[in-house]
Amino acid sequence: MDVKALRAFFESQKIPDSIQLERGSRIIDVELFLQTQFLVLERVGITGAPQHYARLLKLYFILLDKATG
């Protein structure tokens, strides 16, 4: 999945104010988190920031699971 597709997905979803991404790792301001991750990816690309891409994918799958589950 490319960055444009990820951005389109998040823009089409109702984004919660906070969410737990991993055990013990809680994102308080999800909108700010998304803006930051996309800013980095747009500047350096997926290969330049794989950890940022991985975080977005984790959030993607969490939200997708909630939407379909």
Side-chain angles (χ1 to χ4, degrees):
M1 176 174 283
D2 65 5
V3 175
K4 284 184 182 181
L6 269 175
R7 182 180 291 281
F9 170 79
F10 288 118
E11 288 174 353
S12 71
Q13 299 296 305
K14 182 181 183 311
I15 302 297
D17 292 333
S18 65
I19 195 165
Q20 187 153 350
L21 196 58
E22 296 174 347
R23 189 175 296 186
S25 174
R26 186 164 189 81
I27 301 171
I28 302 301
D29 188 338
V30 178
E31 284 294 331
L32 182 61
F33 170 80
L34 289 172
Q35 289 173 7
T36 304
Q37 302 305 303
F38 280 118
L39 180 67
V40 170
L41 288 175
E42 288 168 357
R43 288 187 178 179
V44 298
I46 293 172
T47 57
Q51 69 278 19
H52 296 274
Y53 182 66
R55 289 182 200 123
L56 285 173
L57 283 178
K58 285 179 189 175
L59 183 56
Y60 166 80
F61 286 114
I62 290 168
L63 293 177
L64 187 62
D65 187 50
K66 286 184 178 188
T68 60

